[in-house]
Amino acid sequence: MDPVMVITSKPHLPSLLLPFSVEALKQPNLPSKLSLAQTPQDEHKQSASSTHNDLPSIDQTKQIHAHMIKTHFDYTLQIPLTCFRPHMSSAAQYNFLITSYNNNNFSRCSLKIYAHLRSMDAQVDNFTVPSVLKACGQCSVAALGKEVHGFVLKNGLDRDVFVRNALMQMYSECGNVVSARLVFDQMAERDVVSWSTMIRSYVRNRLLGEALELIRGMHSLGVKPSEIAMISMVNLFADLSHVKLGKAMHGYVTRNGRNEKLGVPITTSLIDMYAKCGNSAYAERLFSGLTQKSVVSWSAMIAGYIRCKKLEKGARLFNEMLEERICPNEITVLSLIIECGFVGALELGMWLHSYILRNGFVMSLALATALVDMYGKCGDLRKARAVFDCRIDKDVMIWSAMISAYAQANCFSQACDLFARMREKGLKPNKVTMVSLISLCAKVGALDLGKWLHLYINQQGLEVDLVLKTALVDMYAKCGDIDGAHRLFIEATDRDLCMWNAMMTGFAMHGCGNEALKLFEEMEKHGIKPNDITFIAVLHACSHAGLVTEGKRLFEKMGLDFGLVPKIEHYGCMVDLLGRAGELDEAHELIKSMPVEPNSVIWGALLAACKLHKNPSLGELAAEQLLELEPQNCGYSILLSNIYAASNRWNDVAAVRTAVKDTGMKKQPGLSSIEVNGLVHDFVMGDKMHPQTGKIYEMLAEMRMKLTEAGYSPNTSVILQNIDEEEKETALNYHSEKLAMAFGLISTAAGTPVRIVKNLRVCDDCHAATKLLSKLYGRVIIVRDRNRFHHFKEGSCSCGDYW
């Protein structure tokens, strides 16, 4: 074991304190009987392995604890309680208390007892240690867990497989999978629990590939899995959502089962697995075959229907469960609400909420948090906030759920305000909170706030796991700081596929095609197998950089080298790649040869290419297909009218726009955003609602004057309306990105980069003007439009006018 991992000093916890009054002894409600062992060693085993029904409640545990303290743990005195046989040793009494507190979810009391034992140099043996490690895991106290590990090594307790398994479990629950694996690898002897614990650790921490490799290793060594191990394996395949592997796992479970018929727990796991793989028919067959259905089985099948978006079947089965007099418990309802949020089933989620209220469920904090999360994911912020505001006992999880709801709805100011209020309440945010806020910064391009959050994470000592690291890489890339994203990526030593994909997507957005290709090659050298998302990222990178040959090679490589079947998203990337390069006929031929029906993304990419390369005939064909697929989307009609306008076909322009007006469709307005001093300011074309409108328009006039002096003339061809040139020039002056740019120039110090986010593609005129303005004002101007980033500096753009 790496010596850095463990600490051999005594634990630094408060001394043993009574969490209650000794007067609690007077309460008579103690358990009437507990089976007792005959030897001191068996006493430890009994206290560590008693069933839940054998152990006393928390009140009873406190009474026992009070009596022990009152008698100074003198084991020579008869304890006047029926829980202990005469002369039970003090070591066994301590162990009984630690185990009982653990089982009643009062793990911190267990840790205080352990600290007290160590301060007295009392006996702590291989029966006590696993219970202490369990408490460390339940409280996620990694530092104390390492101290216990050091104590184990120092005292030679690490030879006990039970202790080793407990160490692995503790590290797993504290999120330290690397240390758990080190313990596993150094075990001279492993039992089935060792394998099961390590597999479960990987699954819990979403390291599915590593879990799969461990299952293969276990199988090759001929280790017969326990039912718990098999349930962990089934859960792994459920998370992978791979139906073919799932069926193979089903066969493996059937062959390795101890009985001819599978038990209810493992069958329930298989039902859940098939539902998550989208195969509700197999799940139904297993559910129907259960002669005894537990509430968990019913819940798994109902949740499966919700996951497969068969909401009517799910509601019907819920009613059948009630008719069978199977009463759903809080966990049942909780799991169903979570599933409703996962698929966006708002109506069913509301029905479950009303069921909770009608049937007298205690609205626990966990239920309230699930409801806030569900309403947030379904986009109903009003109901989410109502549930949130009703809670007085808010913990970090419900605050995080509400912040996440605002983040998903792009409600920047509300999310930031709530985060500030949370900190004022003295609550320390967790990783979920930070990922939500950082992801929101990525969406709106709020780099300053993103940097502050990154600094805050480091100052607060929050553990930065792979998910948080990946969110930071993504945020820096999407906020225009691709160098900052790459620095974080290089510093990360434990990169997973998601992080590689995030970095590759960042390079694609910034038009760094060659860098993305190099990263792809590097990933291959590291033995990391790319997935669908990887190829979407690298094909986008080729598209934005005009790397047609490389893109075609990678598209072929998908199937030949990695066995990946191209999805419609990959075909969309290829149509975009060919279309941008002017290969319109080849793009059209690719669409016609596709094994799946082309969707609006495919035809939209071709239509955009037709506008770029002024091909009205093929553009008409693409527009017809689009209007059949999405008749209410006016964006495609506008694109077609722009193609006509570029060819001066004003009668056709008028016809298209009349059709748009008659159908009641509305065009998405151009919106540009800029972050200044932590606040995001939005502008639309001709906007005069900003508090500093006067100064903004003065700067616009100055910008126009400087551009004119530098020889710039407006590109009025981008105004695709049949109006005179003067009106066109006026319209160009007040585009949303120019308003945002003017505000940025007056609100930031000289030499500071100006960062703008636009929801539509940058027009040719604004692109040309911004190139010149970057030179005139000596500023780096970074614009993120719908397609990519443009870095304007010294009169040129990073896109090389290819976008």
Side-chain angles (χ1 to χ4, degrees):
M1 179 58 61
D2 186 343
V4 175
M5 277 179 48
V6 294
I7 305 166
T8 56
S9 59
K10 292 182 181 179
H12 303 290
L13 281 178
S15 59
L16 181 64
L17 299 174
L18 257 177
F20 48 86
S21 168
V22 177
E23 293 299 313
L25 271 172
K26 297 177 182 177
Q27 298 178 17
N29 58 336
L30 288 168
S32 58
K33 182 179 179 182
L34 281 176
S35 58
L36 300 174
Q38 301 302 313
T39 66
Q41 187 181 54
D42 288 338
E43 288 171 355
H44 289 293
K45 288 181 180 177
Q46 179 266 328
S47 62
S49 61
S50 298
T51 65
H52 179 70
N53 292 331
D54 290 332
L55 289 169
S57 68
I58 186 60
D59 288 336
Q60 294 163 343
T61 304
K62 289 175 180 178
Q63 293 173 53
I64 297 166
H65 191 175
H67 182 86
M68 289 177 177
I69 292 175
K70 188 175 180 181
T71 59
H72 302 288
F73 289 84
D74 187 348
Y75 66 89
T76 62
L77 298 175
Q78 171 62 43
I79 298 175
L81 302 171
T82 56
C83 296
F84 302 99
R85 70 175 180 77
H87 310 302
M88 190 176 188
S89 72
S90 57
Q93 290 178 28
Y94 276 119
N95 198 43
F96 176 90
L97 281 178
I98 291 171
T99 304
S100 188
Y101 275 128
N102 280 351
N103 281 276
N104 284 288
N105 296 318
F106 276 72
S107 304
R108 292 201 175 273
C109 291
S110 300
L111 297 180
K112 288 180 180 180
I113 294 170
Y114 171 69
H116 180 65
L117 284 171
R118 293 290 306 280
S119 68
M120 297 190 307
D121 287 323
Q123 179 186 2
V124 177
D125 58 21
N126 58 326
F127 296 105
T128 310
V129 164
S131 296
V132 175
L133 288 168
K134 182 180 179 181
C136 291
Q138 287 176 344
C139 298
S140 291
V141 188
L144 180 60
K146 287 180 181 180
E147 289 183 358
V148 177
H149 192 174
F151 175 82
V152 164
L153 294 176
K154 188 177 179 181
N155 290 273
L157 302 177
D158 55 312
R159 290 185 290 273
D160 190 321
V161 69
F162 189 39
V163 172
R164 286 273 186 173
N165 291 341
L167 279 167
M168 287 163 55
Q169 182 70 16
M170 180 274 296
Y171 279 125
S172 170
E173 290 181 355
C174 291
N176 191 341
V177 191
V178 174
S179 294
R181 183 60 194 250
L182 281 171
V183 174
F184 179 81
D185 288 340
Q186 293 184 3
M187 291 178 77
E189 191 178 330
R190 301 180 189 124
D191 61 10
V192 69
V193 177
S194 312
W195 289 90
S196 177
T197 302
M198 197 62 238
I199 291 166
R200 193 163 60 248
S201 174
Y202 278 137
V203 173
R204 178 187 286 120
N205 289 278
R206 310 294 301 159
L207 298 170
L208 307 183
E210 289 83 346
L212 202 56
E213 285 300 316
L214 208 61
I215 290 171
R216 292 191 183 109
M218 180 181 180
H219 180 65
S220 66
L221 290 172
V223 179
K224 193 175 179 66
S226 65
E227 186 174 17
I228 293 172
M230 287 193 290
I231 288 171
S232 294
M233 294 178 196
V234 172
N235 291 341
L236 163 65
F237 287 95
D239 289 335
L240 286 169
S241 298
H242 195 302
V243 70
K244 188 176 179 181
L245 290 174
K247 287 179 181 177
M249 187 66 225
H250 188 175
Y252 178 80
V253 166
T254 304
R255 290 192 301 274
N256 287 275
R258 297 184 182 276
N259 301 314
E260 192 173 319
K261 191 159 186 171
L262 295 175
V264 175
I266 188 69
T267 305
T268 301
S269 293
L270 286 166
I271 290 168
D272 180 63
M273 179 196 72
Y274 278 119
K276 285 179 178 175
C277 290
N279 195 328
S280 59
Y282 270 78
E284 282 175 1
R285 196 178 303 169
L286 285 167
F287 181 73
S288 301
L290 279 172
T291 51
Q292 288 185 325
K293 298 181 177 77
S294 68
V295 67
V296 181
S297 309
W298 285 91
S299 302
M301 192 64 241
I302 296 165
Y305 279 135
I306 298 171
R307 177 68 65 96
C308 296
K309 298 189 177 181
K310 297 183 178 180
L311 305 182
E312 288 185 10
K313 280 191 172 184
R316 200 180 306 130
L317 195 64
F318 189 88
N319 287 322
E320 281 181 32
M321 180 176 70
L322 297 178
E323 288 168 7
E324 293 284 336
R325 299 186 181 278
I326 305 291
C327 295
N329 55 26
E330 181 181 333
I331 295 171
T332 307
V333 180
L334 190 69
S335 67
L336 298 183
I337 289 168
I338 290 168
E339 290 296 335
C340 287
F342 186 79
V343 300
L346 177 60
E347 191 174 341
L348 184 57
M350 289 168 61
W351 184 87
L352 286 167
H353 189 181
S354 64
Y355 175 84
I356 291 167
L357 299 175
R358 286 196 313 269
N359 288 274
F361 274 76
V362 175
M363 183 61 78
S364 69
L365 195 53
L367 264 179
T369 303
L371 284 167
V372 170
D373 184 64
M374 181 272 294
Y375 281 126
K377 286 176 178 171
C378 293
D380 194 333
L381 295 180
R382 188 178 61 82
K383 285 190 174 67
R385 189 61 191 255
V387 175
F388 175 80
D389 286 339
C390 284
R391 301 301 303 194
I392 300 171
D393 55 337
K394 299 182 186 79
D395 65 358
V396 67
M397 294 306 295
I398 196 166
W399 281 91
S400 296
M402 194 64 238
I403 289 169
S404 179
Y406 280 132
Q408 288 174 70
N410 287 348
C411 296
F412 183 78
S413 59
Q414 292 93 326
C416 292
D417 289 345
L418 208 61
F419 179 62
R421 280 185 53 200
M422 178 184 175
R423 290 171 57 226
E424 286 170 7
K425 297 281 184 184
L427 285 168
K428 187 177 181 179
N430 60 16
K431 288 179 283 190
V432 177
T433 322
M434 303 314 295
V435 168
S436 295
L437 288 167
I438 288 164
S439 300
L440 179 57
C441 290
K443 286 181 187 176
V444 301
L447 180 61
D448 290 343
L449 180 60
K451 284 181 174 179
W452 183 88
L453 289 169
H454 189 184
L455 181 65
Y456 177 81
I457 289 166
N458 294 332
Q459 288 176 340
Q460 295 296 313
L462 291 175
E463 184 187 352
V464 183
D465 63 2
L466 268 172
V467 175
L468 193 48
K469 284 179 189 173
T470 303
L472 284 165
V473 169
D474 185 62
M475 182 274 293
Y476 277 106
K478 287 181 178 173
C479 288
D481 188 355
I482 192 67
D483 293 331
H486 196 220
R487 274 195 303 274
L488 278 177
F489 177 81
I490 295 298
E491 288 168 7
T493 55
D494 53 345
R495 304 174 201 135
D496 64 355
L497 182 57
C498 291
M499 187 179 285
W500 285 90
N501 287 345
M503 192 65 244
M504 217 170 297
T505 302
F507 278 141
M509 289 180 69
H510 288 264
C512 305
N514 290 317
E515 288 83 349
L517 290 174
K518 285 177 186 174
L519 200 66
F520 181 83
E521 291 170 4
E522 188 184 340
M523 188 176 79
E524 283 189 281
K525 287 175 184 174
H526 279 79
I528 297 171
K529 186 178 177 181
N531 63 4
D532 293 337
I533 297 169
T534 314
F535 278 99
I536 291 171
V538 75
L539 288 172
H540 263 141
C542 291
S543 178
H544 289 309
L547 303 172
V548 178
T549 304
E550 292 82 351
K552 288 180 179 179
R553 178 180 59 81
L554 284 164
F555 188 68
E556 290 178 3
K557 194 180 178 76
M558 273 187 73
L560 293 175
D561 292 4
F562 299 104
L564 294 171
V565 178
K567 295 182 178 178
I568 200 156
E569 294 86 355
H570 302 102
Y571 282 103
C573 291
M574 288 304 296
V575 171
D576 187 56
L577 171 71
L578 295 168
R580 285 178 191 274
E583 305 290 343
L584 299 180
D585 291 334
E586 189 176 349
H588 188 210
E589 288 301 317
L590 179 64
I591 293 172
K592 289 192 287 185
S593 67
M594 281 170 53
V596 291
E597 281 294 315
N599 62 6
S600 58
V601 175
I602 301 288
W603 290 113
L606 183 62
L607 181 60
C610 290
K611 175 185 177 292
L612 181 65
H613 295 286
K614 299 178 174 59
N615 188 327
S617 58
L618 191 54
E620 285 176 323
L621 187 149
E624 285 171 11
Q625 298 294 328
L626 284 164
L627 292 172
E628 279 185 27
L629 291 167
E630 296 184 20
Q632 295 304 312
N633 190 331
C634 74
Y636 306 126
S637 297
I638 299 298
L639 259 179
L640 181 60
S641 74
N642 291 348
I643 293 171
Y644 288 145
S647 303
N648 293 319
R649 293 168 58 176
W650 298 111
N651 290 335
D652 292 327
V653 171
V656 172
R657 297 200 173 193
T658 300
V660 169
K661 188 177 180 181
D662 291 344
T663 55
M665 293 185 289
K666 291 186 178 179
K667 180 186 174 185
Q668 182 185 12
L671 177 73
S672 294
S673 305
I674 182 169
E675 182 196 23
V676 175
N677 297 327
L679 295 175
V680 175
H681 303 258
D682 297 329
F683 295 91
V684 295
M685 181 178 172
D687 203 331
K688 292 190 177 180
M689 300 298 293
H690 196 276
Q692 296 188 53
T693 292
K695 291 182 179 179
I696 291 168
Y697 275 77
E698 284 176 15
M699 176 53 74
L700 273 176
E702 181 187 307
M703 288 160 56
R704 188 163 61 247
M705 182 185 70
K706 287 194 173 189
L707 285 168
T708 303
E709 290 173 354
Y712 163 80
S713 60
N715 181 3
T716 56
S717 65
V718 301
I719 301 294
L720 301 172
Q721 292 175 313
N722 195 11
I723 57 177
D724 62 43
E725 289 299 304
E726 189 176 344
E727 287 179 285
K728 288 183 179 182
E729 286 188 23
T730 302
L732 286 173
N733 288 330
Y734 303 131
H735 274 192
S736 62
E737 55 265 57
K738 285 179 181 164
L739 289 166
M741 203 181 308
F743 177 66
L745 290 171
I746 65 173
S747 305
T748 58
T752 307
V754 176
R755 290 183 170 84
I756 297 167
V757 176
K758 185 173 181 180
N759 64 333
L760 303 177
R761 184 180 184 273
V762 172
C763 77
D764 293 345
D765 178 74
C766 286
H767 191 270
T770 308
K771 282 200 295 184
L772 196 50
L773 287 167
S774 70
K775 185 175 183 180
L776 293 171
Y777 284 93
R779 296 283 196 115
V780 173
I781 301 172
I782 301 165
V783 179
R784 185 180 99 192
D785 71 3
R786 185 173 59 187
N787 295 328
R788 57 164 297 153
F789 272 94
H790 300 265
H791 294 254
F792 299 95
K793 184 179 180 182
E794 291 296 323
S796 62
C797 179
S798 60
C799 74
D801 297 337
Y802 186 89
W803 86 101

